[in-house]
Amino acid sequence: MPIFHDLNTPRPFVDPTIPYTRDLFPEDKEAREGAALPDHIYMDAMGFGMGCCCLQITLQAPNVDQARRLYDQLATVGAVMMSLSASSPVFRGYLADVDCRWNVISAAVDDRTREERGLEKLSKDRFVIPKSRYGTIDTFLGSSDGHFKPEYNDLELVYDKDIHQHLANNGIDDLMAKHVSHLFIRDPLVIFKELLEQDDSVSADHFENLQSTNWQNVRFKPPPPNSPIGWRVEFRPLEVQVTDFENAAFSVFTVLLARAILAFGDLNLYIPVTKMDINMERAHSRDAVLREKFFFRRNIYADDSSSEAGDGEAEEDQVAEMSANEIINGSPAFVGLIPIVEMYLDTVALSESVRRKIDSYIAFIRGRADGSLMTAAAWIRNFVRSHADYAFDSVVSAEINYDLVVALDDIAHGRRLAPELVGEGNTR
């Protein structure tokens, strides 16, 4: 991860703790062969990624078609929601010039070979794969709402053509067949000897072995065999928060947005997949919620009936760059996601106490988007830079780290007030 260059951070920054001359393990040579970049924090173990926390919300849809709609529409809001929830500015004892953990995990579990990365000609492997198994989705699923257009899937999709043909021969539509066969371009990460032989009519273990190790910003989850569980979508970009209140606010807002998407069938949040990839990269940057622009659909109520099919220029005009504040709270030119959620709430019978609680969550989301409330990443960065022991050299010492953990624990348990983080009156 790129180092945060503070006033006294060396230029170039070279991590003095890297054991360049050590030869205890085969991987030791990687640092001196170029894996440890100047001006970057060197994280040489998978645990730096898989040790990260996050907030994931699983939503159950009424049927497979509505699950497909949720999958597509929620994928487009993942980056802006991640920027609101940013909480990861410190890695391996240094301040980083990023606020989120997503790319750390993506690199930590990126097991592509040199052939699969396109660095060598294919001989042993089958595919050149453009992304880590942890990343944004590569293809939309489409649904019966009529909003999907082929040009939204503007990334060249890599998929197992034999599996795709098998699915197509058994009545699976092209978009779903490509989604599933795309999962099968990767090897399984973990195989248990006792689970090798399975009856696939009663167990989905073989499928889940691959499905559950393709970590994307949303995940489409079919029902397990012989189970009352329905079709689900997992929303995965959010960072875990300091307090229960913050985690509840993000969870409730995500659920309400999902319900609004299902209730208002004319909502259309589609943007091209490649624009979604750009959004996710932008969401990582320091203070992205305040400083970045995200690609988003300009008119989310438009049915685009005036555009001719395949008219790429007309479709491109439907996408604009907006701030997180504009996307979440709205502007004279854009309705905003919070007003949509509030319109949905006005159609639901709620007790006064429940609506008041929900309104407090929405006010928190609004504050994160307009900058009146700090992200956890900004709060942590400010704490470190305000600490008496900090030398403005990007180093987060053990003493600073200890005091930081104590402060966050005090906030989480209501012993320390942080209205700049959670808002007035929201102690936990």
Side-chain angles (χ1 to χ4, degrees):
M1 287 293 106
I3 193 74
F4 169 70
H5 278 286
D6 214 330
L7 299 175
N8 299 324
T9 307
R11 290 180 181 269
F13 167 81
V14 179
D15 186 349
T17 67
I18 298 174
Y20 284 102
T21 59
R22 189 177 69 184
D23 277 308
L24 294 177
F25 307 101
E27 299 82 10
D28 284 342
K29 63 180 181 180
E30 294 175 358
R32 56 182 178 269
E33 289 179 351
L37 301 176
D39 292 324
H40 283 71
I41 304 165
Y42 184 49
M43 292 182 284
D44 58 344
M46 184 183 181
F48 286 115
M50 297 310 281
C52 292
C53 297
C54 59
L55 175 64
Q56 297 170 357
I57 298 130
T58 299
L59 307 142
Q60 182 159 304
N63 51 54
V64 60
D65 184 65
Q66 293 295 281
R68 293 171 72 152
R69 173 168 165 78
L70 270 186
Y71 178 90
D72 286 3
Q73 303 297 318
L74 286 177
T76 66
V77 304
V80 68
M81 291 295 289
M82 187 173 78
S83 75
L84 266 65
S85 68
S87 62
S88 307
V90 181
F91 294 98
R92 200 172 170 268
Y94 297 103
L95 280 175
D97 205 30
V98 298
D99 277 359
C100 296
R101 95 284 177 203
W102 187 271
N103 280 347
V104 177
I105 311 177
S106 177
V109 299
D110 189 355
D111 63 335
R112 290 174 298 163
T113 66
R114 290 183 59 82
E115 291 181 18
E116 289 174 329
R117 289 172 182 266
L119 301 175
E120 296 177 2
K121 185 178 180 180
L122 288 175
S123 59
K124 297 179 181 179
D125 295 305
R126 300 184 299 155
F127 306 102
V128 175
I129 304 174
K131 293 182 186 178
S132 166
R133 62 171 68 230
Y134 195 109
T136 49
I137 65 170
D138 292 323
T139 182
F140 290 117
L141 294 178
S143 69
S144 66
D145 62 19
H147 300 315
F148 173 77
K149 292 183 178 181
E151 53 261 42
Y152 299 145
N153 281 340
D154 63 338
L155 189 71
E156 185 175 352
L157 188 69
V158 182
Y159 61 95
D160 188 307
K161 290 180 171 54
D162 291 336
I163 291 176
H164 175 270
Q165 188 61 54
H166 175 75
L167 293 168
N169 291 344
N170 285 273
I172 304 299
D173 65 88
D174 182 62
L175 286 172
M176 182 61 76
K178 284 182 176 176
H179 166 79
V180 175
S181 56
H182 173 64
L183 300 176
F184 282 81
I185 65 174
R186 303 185 190 272
D187 295 327
L189 281 183
V190 180
I191 297 177
F192 295 100
K193 180 180 179 180
E194 62 271 19
L195 297 178
L196 276 175
E197 301 298 330
Q198 293 284 315
D199 181 353
D200 291 332
S201 66
V202 297
S203 171
D205 282 352
H206 284 161
F207 171 72
E208 290 297 341
N209 189 295
L210 288 168
Q211 157 90 336
S212 63
T213 53
N214 275 268
W215 297 285
Q216 297 173 323
N217 55 335
V218 286
R219 177 182 283 154
F220 186 79
K221 305 180 76 170
N226 306 310
S227 168
I229 298 173
W231 296 89
R232 295 149 296 150
V233 173
E234 192 175 275
F235 188 69
R236 302 176 47 81
L238 294 170
E239 305 244 305
V240 74
Q241 303 299 290
V242 178
T243 66
D244 290 345
F245 173 83
E246 296 166 276
N247 287 314
F250 277 111
S251 299
V252 169
F253 183 77
T254 302
V255 170
L256 291 175
L257 179 60
R259 292 189 178 184
I261 288 169
L262 294 183
F264 304 143
D266 56 343
L267 282 180
N268 177 6
L269 306 181
Y270 277 117
I271 61 172
V273 166
T274 54
K275 292 289 194 291
M276 195 162 49
D277 288 346
I278 296 171
N279 284 350
M280 208 63 174
E281 285 303 312
R282 292 180 178 181
H284 283 84
S285 64
R286 179 163 43 91
D287 293 327
V289 67
L290 302 179
R291 297 164 53 178
E292 290 289 350
K293 297 280 190 177
F294 301 94
F295 289 104
F296 213 76
R297 193 169 190 83
R298 190 190 304 273
N299 185 354
I300 59 178
Y301 286 116
D303 60 8
D304 297 331
S305 58
S306 60
S307 300
E308 294 181 8
D311 186 355
E313 183 178 357
E315 186 54 45
E316 187 70 21
D317 290 342
Q318 295 292 335
V319 179
E321 292 182 84
M322 305 182 199
S323 67
N325 187 36
E326 291 171 319
I327 294 169
I328 297 297
N329 292 321
S331 70
F334 182 73
V335 60
L337 298 183
I338 281 181
I340 288 171
V341 166
E342 290 177 327
M343 282 187 278
Y344 168 74
L345 287 171
D346 289 340
T347 69
V348 181
L350 298 172
S351 69
E352 183 179 342
S353 62
V354 170
R355 182 60 189 260
R356 189 163 54 246
K357 187 65 174 178
I358 290 175
D359 286 345
S360 72
Y361 292 148
I362 290 176
F364 166 78
I365 299 294
R366 180 180 291 113
R368 278 288 175 88
D370 67 22
S372 59
L373 295 178
M374 302 171 72
T375 64
W379 194 97
I380 291 169
R381 194 182 301 275
N382 284 358
F383 181 94
V384 170
R385 298 188 76 239
S386 302
H387 196 281
D389 292 346
Y390 181 63
F392 294 91
D393 55 359
S394 308
V395 176
V396 183
S397 66
E399 292 77 15
I400 297 173
N401 186 68
Y402 176 82
D403 290 344
L404 172 63
V405 171
V406 170
L408 294 174
D409 186 65
D410 285 344
I411 293 172
H413 290 89
R415 296 186 295 267
R416 174 173 177 156
L417 299 181
E420 70 278 12
L421 179 67
V422 298
E424 295 289 345
N426 303 321
T427 57
R428 298 176 65 178

